[in-house]
Amino acid sequence: MNFNTSANDVISVSSLNRMARDLLESGLPPMWIGGEISNLTLAASGHAYFSLKDGGAQIRCVMFRHKLSLLPFRLAEGMQVELKGLVTLYEARGDFQINVDTMRSAGLGRLYEAFEKLKVKLNAEGLFEQARKRALPAHPRAIGIVTSPAAAALRDVVTTLARRMPSIPVILYPAQVQGESAARQIAAAIQQASARQEVDVLIVCRGGGSIEDLWSFNEEIVARALAACTIPTVSGVGHETDFTICDFVADRRAPTPTAAAELVSPSQEQLRLQLEQGKRGLERALSRLLTDKSQRLDYLARRLAHPGDKLRRQAQALGQAGDRLQRGLDTLFSRRRWALQLASSRMQRHQPQLAQQQQQLARLAERMQRGISQTLHRQQQLLQRHHATLEAMNPEAVLSRGYAIVQKRDGQAVKSPQELLNQERVLLRLAEGITEAIIDHPQGAQPELPF
């Protein structure tokens, strides 16, 4: 970029700021910068505006909404962070600033990078697929817990299970939940529960803490153990805002250990309520059934009569039916006889007279023959008259009597001497051919053709 200017060249402020922005963006690549957040403003648009400072300087920063929504934590005043972005200049105000692409808590960069790397790897292998998630049993016979015996989360889970359904036995598979060997112990406890098959559902839990405190649940060995477990699993690690690799691999994620206990156990109060509702519904159904059956029994009892009375009524009904049948048959036969007589009378009236019809047909054929002969004779006579007329009007017939037709060179027939010029050549059409002639008018009758 050429910035050479003469003494008389003048540029605008906008041009200057644009040149400075281009220099910053082309000269400084995106880089990681550490510092403390101050003057934080979360705008209604969803963008975040703040300053990043250290002991000796500060710089304005902006993080736009679509980038801010991807952060696993909330920005707060005074937070120590490491951010990566593009150094630029906001032209409208001439502010030197950083457009932030991503951010992490200071000192936790490597942990976040390891978390994201393992998350991408396991997701690519299909360990997070919804299709492999199993449904939790509605009424488990026993519930297993993988956590530390000294953990507060264990007390929360056991208290919740005892309140909701104290009849369900709880089996603890102890393991450290923090420290160097915690991940191996958690994985071993999950494998032990899967091998023993003592429980119908398994809770893996611990209370809240920092990312370092929860890191055992982000280890690959724990994720592999959860994926291989033959028992439906629930992850209840940390608080609602905490996410671990276990949350993605387990069949269900609970925001807290207490919520995990509520997910795996039915509520006895709710079951009692459902049972009571079912009992009342069953009592109402039985009451209605008994009432209906009692009314039906009374109705049948009223209809019950002595067999002899029933037989006499049936015999009387049978006799009445026989009388009705006989009357019906008599009426039917009478109607059929009358219809038959009527049809016979109509057939006799409409019986064809074949001899008479044949005589009439012969007379019609004779009349048609005479008509055809007369019509043909008249048409022949008419044709002869037309033929004679055509012969009389035929020009060829006139020519055969010695006449000629005078025509001009273009074939037009001449009707008057006035149409011809002196010495004009004409055609004479005779009966047996065509010849030419030259017109010779009397002296001065017609002008001569120019030569």
Side-chain angles (χ1 to χ4, degrees):
M1 184 178 294
N2 185 10
F3 297 112
N4 294 328
T5 58
S6 64
N8 295 326
D9 290 336
V10 178
I11 63 173
S12 65
V13 175
S14 298
S15 299
L16 176 62
N17 284 353
R18 189 176 304 111
M19 294 164 62
R21 184 202 66 187
D22 293 342
L23 278 174
L24 287 171
E25 292 181 357
S26 62
L28 294 176
M31 61 187 71
W32 284 96
I33 307 167
E36 177 185 335
I37 293 178
S38 66
N39 300 319
L40 174 64
T41 300
L42 299 176
S45 61
H47 308 325
Y49 300 92
F50 57 92
S51 297
L52 188 69
K53 68 178 183 178
D54 58 16
Q58 66 178 6
I59 183 174
R60 295 292 300 167
C61 300
V62 58
M63 192 169 192
F64 295 109
R65 179 177 60 188
H66 64 285
K67 300 290 182 61
L68 185 63
S69 63
L70 301 177
L71 291 182
F73 57 88
R74 285 181 171 272
L75 297 185
E77 191 77 19
M79 180 182 289
Q80 294 289 333
V81 296
E82 296 172 351
L83 58 83
K84 185 179 182 181
L86 181 67
V87 180
T88 184
L89 184 129
Y90 181 48
E91 296 180 38
R93 292 197 303 266
D95 287 345
F96 176 60
Q97 68 178 25
I98 300 174
N99 286 351
V100 181
D101 287 329
T102 186
M103 187 185 303
R104 65 195 181 198
S105 295
L108 301 180
R110 286 178 296 175
L111 291 180
Y112 279 117
E113 289 178 4
F115 175 87
E116 290 298 329
K117 184 177 180 181
L118 180 59
K119 182 179 175 183
V120 170
K121 175 183 177 181
L122 298 181
N123 187 38
E125 294 180 17
L127 268 64
F128 301 166
E129 290 292 335
Q130 194 63 34
R132 62 173 298 275
K133 305 291 184 182
R134 293 162 294 193
L136 303 182
H139 300 282
R141 295 170 299 172
I143 298 173
I145 305 174
V146 174
T147 191
S148 170
L154 177 61
R155 292 191 297 273
D156 294 340
V157 171
V158 171
T159 301
T160 302
L161 293 177
R163 172 176 53 83
R164 290 175 61 84
M165 187 59 69
S167 61
I168 300 179
V170 177
I171 299 177
L172 175 65
Y173 299 93
Q176 290 185 11
V177 293
Q178 186 174 341
E180 293 184 4
S181 63
R184 292 192 300 274
Q185 292 188 28
I186 294 171
I190 295 172
Q191 293 167 355
Q192 185 182 38
S194 178
R196 290 183 179 181
Q197 294 291 307
E198 300 168 319
V199 297
D200 293 333
V201 65
L202 185 65
I203 298 174
V204 179
C205 65
R206 69 147 287 161
S210 65
I211 188 172
E212 295 97 333
D213 296 336
L214 305 179
W215 191 251
S216 299
F217 298 89
N218 290 322
E219 294 285 354
E220 183 173 359
I221 187 175
V222 176
R224 300 289 183 187
L226 273 175
C229 184
T230 58
I231 303 170
T233 55
V234 177
S235 173
V237 178
H239 299 304
E240 187 170 359
T241 57
D242 297 323
F243 280 88
T244 64
I245 296 296
C246 282
D247 295 333
F248 299 107
V249 179
D251 294 309
R252 290 288 296 274
R253 176 202 180 249
T256 62
T258 300
E262 292 176 349
L263 274 178
V264 301
S265 62
S267 171
Q268 63 178 355
E269 294 299 327
Q270 186 176 2
L271 290 177
R272 285 198 186 100
L273 179 60
Q274 293 175 355
L275 193 60
E276 186 63 29
Q277 291 174 346
K279 176 185 175 183
R280 289 196 294 268
L282 184 59
E283 289 175 348
R284 288 193 298 268
L286 286 173
S287 177
R288 285 195 301 268
L289 181 62
L290 289 174
T291 301
D292 293 342
K293 294 302 182 182
S294 298
Q295 293 177 352
R296 177 67 176 168
L297 182 61
D298 293 340
Y299 172 73
L300 293 175
R302 289 193 299 269
R303 293 184 59 189
L304 186 63
H306 192 276
D309 296 337
K310 188 173 183 181
L311 287 174
R312 282 191 295 271
R313 287 196 300 270
Q314 289 178 349
Q316 184 180 1
L318 183 60
Q320 293 173 352
D323 294 340
R324 289 196 300 271
L325 178 61
Q326 186 61 47
R327 288 195 299 271
L329 289 174
D330 293 342
T331 302
L332 179 62
F333 290 153
S334 177
R335 290 177 179 174
R336 290 290 186 267
R337 282 194 296 271
W338 179 82
L340 183 59
Q341 292 172 358
L342 179 62
S344 176
S345 175
R346 294 172 64 182
M347 286 180 61
Q348 290 177 359
R349 288 198 303 271
H350 291 84
Q351 185 175 3
Q353 302 295 328
L354 294 179
Q356 187 178 6
Q357 296 294 331
Q358 289 175 350
Q359 292 176 1
Q360 185 179 0
L361 182 61
R363 287 195 298 271
L364 290 174
E366 183 179 355
R367 288 173 59 187
M368 184 178 67
Q369 186 64 35
R370 287 198 303 269
I372 291 174
S373 299
Q374 291 172 1
T375 301
L376 182 60
H377 181 67
R378 286 195 300 271
Q379 293 298 325
Q380 288 176 347
Q381 290 178 347
L382 181 61
L383 180 60
Q384 290 174 359
R385 288 198 298 272
H386 287 334
H387 183 268
T389 301
L390 287 174
E391 287 296 330
M393 297 178 66
N394 187 359
E396 298 293 337
V398 176
L399 294 178
S400 65
R401 294 198 297 270
Y403 293 93
I405 298 175
V406 180
Q407 294 177 317
K408 289 191 174 185
R409 301 294 294 178
D410 58 4
Q412 181 180 358
V414 179
K415 299 178 181 179
S416 171
Q418 300 300 325
E419 299 177 10
L420 300 173
L421 299 176
N422 195 27
Q423 299 301 313
E424 183 178 352
R425 290 182 176 272
V426 295
L427 299 177
L428 297 181
R429 182 177 294 278
L430 305 175
E432 297 182 358
I434 299 174
T435 186
E436 291 187 354
I438 298 176
I439 301 301
D440 187 7
H441 286 291
Q443 188 67 30
Q446 285 287 349
E448 294 183 357
L449 288 170
F451 294 98

